[in-house]
Amino acid sequence: MTKKLILIDGNSIAYRAFFALPLLNNDKGVHTNAVYGFTTMLLKILEEEQPSHALVAFDAGKTTFRHKTYEEYKGGRQKTPPELSEQFPLVRELLDAFQISHYELDQYEADDIIGTLARRGEQDGFEVKVISGDRDLLQLVSDHVSVALTKKGITNVETYTPSFMKEKMEINPEQIIDLKALMGDSSDNIPGVPGVGEKTAVKLLHQFETLDQVFANVEEVSGKKLKEKLQNHKDDAFMSKELVTIDIQSPIAVKLDEIQYNGHDSTKVAHFFRDLGFHSLLGRINEDEEGAEEVQDALPSIDVTIVDSVDETILEDHSALVVEMLGENYHTSPVEGIGLVNDSGTYFIPTNVAMESELFKKWAQDKTKKKWVFDAKKTLVSLKRFDIDIEGIEFDLLIASYLINPSENHHDIPSISHRMDKKGIAYDEEVYGKGAKMKVPEQDSLADHVGRKTTMLYEMKDSVEERLRENSQWELYHELEMPLSLILGEMEHVGVAVDVEQLESMGKELQRRLSEIEEEVYKLAGETFNLNSPKQLGPILFEKLELPVIKKTKTGYSTSADILEQLEDKHEIIPKILLYRQLGKLQSTYIEGLLKVVDDQTHKIHTRFNQALTQTGRLSSTEPNLQNIPIRLEEGRKIRQAFIPSEEGWKIFSADYSQIELRVLAHIANDEKLIQAFNDNEDIHTKTAMDVFHVSKDEVTDQMRRQAKAVNFGIVYGISDYGLSQSLGITRKEAKKFIDRYLESYPGVKEYMDDVVQEAKQQGYVTTLMMRRRYLPDLTSRNFNRRSAAERTAMNTPIQGTAADIIKQAMIDLYHKLADERLEARILLQVHDELIIEAPEHELETLKELVTKVMEETFSLHVPLKVDHAYGDTWYDAK
DNA sequence: ACTCACACGC
DNA sequence: GACGTACGTGTGAGTA
């Protein structure tokens, strides 16, 4: 087997990672983006290269031997940001966990260490691979030394071999030094010859081979100016050469046989990953399929009693309760067992033992026995499957964690525990495996893991609640999200009835039309191909049919709808493709997709609302997503005909807020004109058009109203001038003008936008009216894009988030009102600004008034909230 | 098992 | 003036 040596330029990779990735930080405010990027790069290299030897080199200190030659070496360079410097010790820790040597040497740079070892390795018969982001290292390339440079991002590299270099750069590795000597390097403050850039330098080296030859034959250089510059800066060039030349004989102490790589210590690495919150990476380190037992053996042991029959002594008030399931879908996943922790101990109750126990059921349903859970909704729904209606849920760690920081991507017990510095717990993935390898471990392991999770839940309650109070979020948590959670759970459990035959017959008709269109497209294309593949479609349209290329994606031609629409009258194949796409979407996502998740016993669909996911406070919906059922195009809207009441003689009733976000904006910004418009019950888009274009009502054309509508849309969703230009098909400049004119027209809005960004910069986050919070670390980003995106988010989130708060409040109010009035009507779905209800026909008259009133009065703004309603035999008809 | 391009809603 | 530009979920293709 050949010996393979990997040499990594530690500083360079850390820098790259730092600037390539957003400034992630974990809960304790420690930045981890560079470490994270470094880790992904390292994992990839180790997987791909399987090195026998490895070393990471770092720059030692401020001064190097090069400074003796040239004092200003690396002068003028920006100071390393503290957010990065603080990560270097972590990178070293990481390497220790991976058991990879790292090395630095006073007065020398990482380059010199790498160069020296590369040459030594080469002589000893190694295949050497150098990883860096610094092109200077290309001078090391030889038959047995290749250099991988990071391209975009961090794991994306390009490997330079002598032949690749010749092809790509048209010069040899040996010429790299001379190239740099001529062109200099501003980032290292290397002068080179002024006025000579890469192009000229390459040209010179083509002609004269080496730097020495260039100057020996300087008379032959074409161009008077160039010749002069060379003659005047000969010394600079040779000094530059000295500076960029890597010292391949640096006095380093390490020997090659001391830097063998024998694989990492998975326990240490796992520990490190957990500490820093690198969950996604944990799955990539257990080469030899560590089972649940091994993972747990590494943790301090705990005492879990496996219960074989439930007795009263374990069912206390104030208990942490975990209903454990491996699958995501709690409507269908088997319950693997129950975790219970209270003052009397830590218990694991096997599913059948719990569910067959009358005592357990009675305890669960007793509202005076307070339960602390993780995910109240999931707990509620899964117990309902066993005919248990849980009561007395007093604490929900999932919701609390989400409210404290919604941008945290992992709101599971182990992740939250690690964020709060509680270590004795493994991630689900480590215990259960993931994907196809996921399996229920044997009972002892299961009980141990569930026991730990329940213990963590039990122990974290107080500090998490305290945090909510500190954030002034107690009311949001306790009066809004917690009650809502149970209502959502009930909605999910009730489900929505579906007319399966209707879906199936629509599917058949669609299939027929799809095949027909497909045939026609193939005929027009002159060949058959996979019409669902943009990769295959691109060449047909833009090469074979020679249609003009408007936009490319990184993998080929863009064939998205907005591009195809611009080509619509260029070729008759285009409208057919668009129709095929439209119908294909309906078929695969909505017909087939929905049929897949219909319960075949009850013909109902049970979505799951994710209450702890979006950054703004909105809900999301999965398996299936019932918040994106088509409505815009009639063809798709018909899908809604398949959503029907679950009982004979009932109707679907729908109520939606009219312009809730813009009303919220009027309120928050306290903009006189906007408030006036809503108080006068004006058509807001027409009003906006009047104000932006300075015209009277009857002068507003359709075109103007359409543009005003898009501007309003942009304000609500926080899109950029670019986004607005795209949606209106105008230039960015024009779009910006629209936005500016809008802000001139509504000075209150302008003031709000400025203030909210200002305030967010000061405190680091924005809030909604109900104190929902969103952190925006990118507000201080050095990257313009990031910063402006964060600024738009700062303006937009209070608007969208407050609207989300309001409809959530309305759901709670409505739920209670329906119960108080003894109505049978029940809420089925929420679609951001709309509630879908089913009700017996005789309740409709009552509902019209009651639902509207509750929704409009749920929250009092400086402008009225307006609710429209409709009903019919299907969701389609409730329009 | 993953990423990409695309498309649906608000 | 650059850069790549509301947020979600789900699908099929393509690659590893």
Side-chain angles (χ1 to χ4, degrees), chain A residues 236-250:
Chain A
D236 283 338
F238 281 97
M239 181 193 70
S240 298
K241 176 168 177 165
E242 203 182 324
L243 290 174
V244 299
T245 303
I246 291 173
D247 183 353
I248 53 169
Q249 286 180 329
S250 50

Side-chain angles (χ1 to χ4, degrees), chain A residues 809-842:
Chain A
Q809 183 65 57
M811 290 172 76
I812 296 168
D813 293 350
L814 180 59
Y815 181 87
H816 288 124
K817 188 74 180 168
L818 293 175
D820 290 349
E821 300 291 325
R822 303 275 184 272
L823 292 167
E824 286 187 276
R826 50 196 177 210
I827 311 172
L828 299 178
L829 298 173
Q830 187 249 50
V831 191
H832 308 308
D833 63 355
E834 176 186 15
L835 296 177
I836 315 299
I837 295 159
E838 67 174 0
E841 190 163 7
H842 66 86

Side-chain angles (χ1 to χ4, degrees), chain A residues 386-404:
Chain A
F386 296 90
D387 209 28
I388 295 173
D389 287 303
I390 190 166
E391 296 269 3
I393 293 179
E394 184 184 59
F395 173 68
D396 184 340
L397 179 62
L398 170 62
I399 303 259
S401 167
Y402 168 69
L403 293 178
I404 288 168

Side-chain angles (χ1 to χ4, degrees), chain A residues 121-158:
Chain A
E122 191 174 29
Q123 279 158 23
D124 290 3
F126 280 88
E127 277 303 316
V128 182
K129 185 157 193 171
V130 174
I131 293 113
S132 177
D134 185 349
R135 303 183 76 81
D136 284 2
L137 286 164
L138 290 178
Q139 61 186 273
L140 298 174
V141 171
S142 72
D143 284 346
H144 297 285
V145 177
S146 62
V147 174
L149 295 183
T150 51
K151 275 168 68 180
K152 244 197 164 152
I154 165 84
T155 54
N156 206 341
V157 296
E158 197 159 50

